Amino acid sequence: MSLTNVDPAVRPQPDPEDVRSRLCSLLDELVTSERLVAHDEAEKYDDELFRQLAKAGFLQLEAVLGGARAKHRSQTIVLEELGARATSMGVSFVVQYMGVELLHTYGNRAQQDQFLAPLFAGDAKMSFALSEAAGGTDIARAMSTWAVEQPDGSYAINGNKKWIGGASDADYLIVLARTREIQHSSIDGITMFIVPRNTPGIATTAIDTMGIRALEQCDIEFRNVRVAADHVLGEVNRGFRQVLGTLNGERLNAAAVALGIARGALEYAVEYVQERHAFGRPIGSFQALQHKLVDCSVKVESARLLLQNAAATSDQESGANETLSAMAKLAAAEAATHTTDVGMRAMGGWGFLRQLPMQRYFRDARLYTFAPLTDDMIRNYIGEQHLRLPRSY
């Protein structure tokens, strides 16, 4: 049942920790608690921070690494730091990395030239439109958005998408729509499209959410949205299968943001209990509270090791171990929810103060109990794939 397949003979890679040091220097310069509070309270995306991160190469990590590739390890490092210090931006970068991967893998040269260059330059943002009101985990079967081919070869898209991050101010959307009735498998007959956000017929509405407030979640309505044939991304009717190929990376990246939230909350809680006094001494000297924080630290470090192992494995020529990635995501989500709960309890009434970060960590961490896949579905997957138990759904 061993999950580790790290090959010591794999070709040497640059140290991805160089990415961390460069990013931390930039975040030290740009990100303040006042800036984070302002964007969270206003529910406004930090466009300027996005541009500066993109221009520094953090969407195109080969530039930071000097041309060499350690994609998964480098991305998870970026996302952990953003999760700890600017969580909504980290969630946004998960989407950007997924879009970049889809364009790199399935886009033709013209599409890559048109859409990747402005993204890497920080001049454009993308959003990924998959889920709908009636379907999340089972979206392939529930999908009701259709793209119908027209006599001139273009497509007309009609339907609605829900919970789409950053759609209102994205420059283009990667949209999945059904292009053929379900036949043998529900995952076939779905196609990906690159749709400029300003295409006539697209309407977005903001959803008022509890967490990740600096990245707007949106409903999207498509009313007879015309998309040229050359904006089909990948192969017609196989778009959902192509997206499935990116899920390992999305799982790793979600784990990285959750790990960052857990680490950020733990660091802040430890700082707080050292400074807060009760009964004449720091509350961090009370054994009951110390033990809770120690348990949080164990969860954080356990999730970190799982994530590092899964990311390193995914960067090898032999490819990803998706079960290990699933375990990393589950462990990181649990570390984030547990640590933020302990942090709120440790701070008491101060945890409720909106100018302090603990309540934001607490709210934001809850995203990863159900995204990009619910914890229960992750357990189902691990039970079937790792423990060889009968399929439970």
Side-chain angles (χ1 to χ4, degrees):
M1 247 179 239
S2 174
L3 291 166
T4 306
N5 62 348
V6 176
D7 180 5
V10 72
R11 60 187 173 85
Q13 296 279 6
D15 184 2
E17 289 297 325
D18 182 50
V19 175
R20 192 188 306 274
S21 63
R22 296 192 195 191
L23 177 59
C24 286
S25 295
L26 186 61
L27 294 178
D28 287 343
E29 177 186 345
L30 299 175
V31 176
T32 64
S33 59
E34 293 79 11
R35 181 173 187 165
L36 294 175
V37 169
H39 283 87
D40 188 72
E41 290 293 318
E43 299 184 72
K44 182 174 175 56
Y45 188 72
D46 194 337
D47 290 292
E48 182 57 29
L49 179 59
F50 172 81
R51 281 192 290 270
Q52 290 172 300
L53 290 169
K55 289 182 184 300
F58 291 105
L59 280 174
Q60 190 179 19
L61 288 169
E62 292 89 339
V64 181
L65 290 168
R69 291 182 65 87
K71 179 180 69 177
H72 292 292
R73 285 178 291 167
S74 299
Q75 286 184 3
T76 55
I77 285 170
V78 169
L79 292 167
E80 180 192 341
E81 291 303 324
L82 291 177
R85 304 173 71 169
T87 306
S88 292
M89 187 61 61
V91 176
S92 168
F93 262 57
V94 173
V95 177
Q96 306 305 313
Y97 283 143
M98 186 176 187
V100 166
E101 182 70 16
L102 289 169
L103 284 164
H104 265 309
T105 306
Y106 301 110
N108 57 40
R109 178 57 63 86
Q111 291 171 338
Q112 291 173 353
D113 289 345
Q114 181 178 355
F115 297 110
L116 283 177
L119 178 69
F120 290 152
D123 297 327
K125 300 187 296 295
M126 70 173 70
S127 187
F128 182 70
L130 172 61
S131 61
E132 299 183 4
T137 302
D138 60 342
I139 182 59
R141 184 169 298 279
M143 187 175 294
S144 61
T145 299
W146 273 84
V148 178
E149 189 172 9
Q150 305 299 297
D152 64 358
S154 67
Y155 288 82
I157 301 179
N158 286 278
N160 297 274
K161 298 291 183 179
K162 196 171 188 70
W163 309 117
I164 310 305
S168 290
D169 61 355
D171 296 278
Y172 44 93
L173 313 170
I174 295 179
V175 180
L176 277 86
R178 186 158 287 286
T179 44
R180 191 184 68 197
E181 294 282 0
I182 296 176
Q183 296 176 355
H184 302 295
S185 171
S186 62
I187 66 175
D188 291 319
I190 295 172
T191 302
M192 281 191 292
F193 299 88
I194 310 170
V195 185
R197 168 64 186 82
N198 60 3
T199 305
I202 298 176
T204 60
T205 305
I207 303 171
D208 191 10
T209 58
M210 178 187 78
I212 318 296
R213 287 162 54 90
L215 175 64
E216 190 175 68
Q217 302 300 306
C218 302
D219 290 326
I220 310 179
E221 182 181 12
F222 298 90
R223 286 190 179 181
N224 201 34
V225 175
R226 297 296 290 267
V227 182
D230 62 3
H231 279 42
V232 171
L233 178 58
E235 188 177 345
V236 173
N237 293 322
R238 292 184 61 82
F240 196 82
R241 288 191 180 273
Q242 292 164 342
V243 168
L244 289 176
T246 69
L247 292 185
N248 180 73
E250 185 188 24
R251 211 171 282 140
L252 290 171
N253 288 346
V257 178
L259 175 64
I261 294 171
R263 194 197 86 199
L266 179 60
E267 290 173 351
Y268 192 81
V270 169
E271 179 182 349
Y272 176 85
V273 301
Q274 290 174 326
E275 296 177 353
R276 175 70 170 175
H277 283 64
F279 305 105
R281 55 182 177 148
I283 64 173
S285 66
F286 300 153
Q287 187 181 75
L289 184 52
Q290 275 195 16
H291 287 186
K292 289 182 174 65
L293 291 170
V294 166
D295 290 345
C296 290
S297 182
V298 170
K299 287 181 179 291
V300 169
E301 293 308 315
S302 298
R304 181 190 307 285
L305 290 172
L306 270 171
L307 179 58
Q308 289 175 342
N309 195 358
T313 301
S314 296
D315 280 330
Q316 294 178 21
E317 298 290 343
S318 56
N321 184 322
E322 295 191 8
T323 303
L324 190 62
S325 300
M327 287 184 169
K329 192 273 177 183
L330 181 61
E334 293 202 332
T337 53
H338 181 81
T339 301
T340 56
D341 183 66
V342 170
M344 287 290 287
R345 292 169 185 265
M347 293 184 68
W350 289 99
F352 272 53
L353 193 62
R354 292 172 71 97
Q355 282 68 44
L356 297 182
M358 188 59 73
Q359 51 79 32
R360 187 174 67 248
Y361 286 133
F362 181 87
R363 290 185 283 109
D364 290 350
R366 270 63 200 166
L367 171 69
Y368 289 109
T369 64
F370 58 85
L373 199 62
T374 68
D375 287 352
D376 288 336
M377 285 299 293
I378 290 279
R379 288 185 171 92
N380 291 339
Y381 179 85
I382 295 169
E384 180 183 358
Q385 299 296 319
H386 180 49
L387 300 180
R388 307 302 183 209
L389 296 172
R391 188 170 190 177
S392 59
Y393 62 98

